[in-house]
Amino acid sequence: MLDELLNFIAPHYCCSCGQKGQILCHRCKSDINFDGLNYCLLCGSPIIHSCTRCRPAYAKSWVVGKREGALKALINQYKFSRARSAYRPLAQMLADTLPQLPPDTVIVPIPTIAPHVRARGYDQVKLMAKQLAKLKSCAYAPLLARKTNTVQHGATRTKRQQQAKQAFCCRKQLNPSTPYLIVDDISTTGATVNVAAKVLKAAGATKVWVAVVAWQPHK
């Protein structure tokens, strides 16, 4: 309701082409390269579900696409220009990328650090994860809590991995028979989602999967 009211007062313009009406118009959405490929979030190799070389802590992963073109523009608007309503098309892209999930699957967001939430006025991953849970008829649970407020943007791969190891804790003991799907917006080195999966498994989970909107190779 809030998004519709804000759009009436201040209409959106497409983040990619500038057309009035939606934050991502149908034409620009169709230009996003949904190539059907998954990438290992740790090494970047094309995979089916999980990389046999890196052996991540999660069993399966899904990626909407690379962070480029219209997808990059939409994410940037969402994260850096307070375009709150972008959570809807981003969640829809994730829902379209994912297969049918077991009905008892629990959607778990990667929590955003507190300074970024205050700056934006919302936690962008939680908004997106809640909408995804509705679209996939799954439960939503913010099981992960932040222990640190370190910023990964601009950090080296080694530094990102070190920061991620200390970043999270799980709020409660988990059911070993329940599937848990970790959701994040961008993955660069894969360290964040991999450590988050380890934390959930340490809390009792045995079925942990990952879904991210965009994969961005680390420079």
Side-chain angles (χ1 to χ4, degrees), residues 33-59:
N33 184 22
F34 300 103
D35 55 17
L37 292 177
N38 268 334
Y39 302 92
C40 174
L41 301 176
L42 295 171
C43 72
S45 300
I47 58 171
I48 301 299
H49 284 307
S50 184
C51 183
T52 56
R53 182 176 67 179
C54 296
R55 299 187 181 279
Y58 46 86

Side-chain angles (χ1 to χ4, degrees), residues 31-211:
D31 288 340
I32 295 175
N33 184 22
F34 300 103
D35 55 17
L37 292 177
N38 268 334
Y39 302 92
C40 174
L41 301 176
L42 295 171
C43 72
S45 300
I47 58 171
I48 301 299
H49 284 307
S50 184
C51 183
T52 56
R53 182 176 67 179
C54 296
R55 299 187 181 279
Y58 46 86
K60 298 178 182 179
S61 65
W62 293 271
V63 181
V64 172
K66 290 184 180 179
R67 190 185 182 190
E68 59 187 17
L71 185 58
K72 179 179 180 179
L74 181 60
I75 291 173
N76 287 353
Q77 287 280 316
Y78 188 40
K79 295 189 70 170
F80 307 123
S81 298
R82 299 185 181 181
R84 184 181 183 275
S85 64
Y87 78 88
R88 292 182 179 275
L90 289 171
Q92 187 63 61
M93 290 180 204
L94 273 176
D96 293 342
T97 300
L98 288 164
Q100 183 71 34
L101 298 173
D104 59 339
T105 301
V106 175
I107 308 292
V108 182
I110 293 289
T112 305
I113 63 173
H116 287 176
V117 175
R118 289 194 296 269
R120 294 182 185 118
Y122 53 86
D123 185 322
Q124 81 277 3
V125 181
K126 284 187 177 181
L127 276 177
M128 192 172 61
K130 282 184 179 180
Q131 181 68 9
L132 176 64
K134 291 180 181 179
L135 293 171
K136 302 299 281 187
S137 299
C138 294
Y140 163 85
L143 297 172
L144 293 167
R146 282 272 180 184
K147 296 195 299 180
T148 64
N149 280 326
T150 53
V151 177
Q152 290 200 323
H153 180 71
T156 64
R157 176 181 289 273
T158 300
K159 188 67 174 178
R160 284 170 177 259
Q161 292 170 342
Q162 291 172 346
Q163 291 173 345
K165 288 179 181 179
Q166 305 168 8
F168 307 114
C169 63
C170 189
R171 298 179 187 273
K172 65 178 185 179
Q173 194 68 20
L174 302 181
N175 187 338
S177 64
T178 298
Y180 297 91
L181 178 68
I182 297 170
V183 172
D184 204 359
D185 52 0
I186 302 169
S187 180
T188 303
T189 64
T192 297
V193 292
N194 198 49
V195 168
K198 290 180 180 180
V199 170
L200 293 187
K201 292 178 79 172
T206 59
K207 302 174 184 177
V208 182
W209 306 325
V210 166

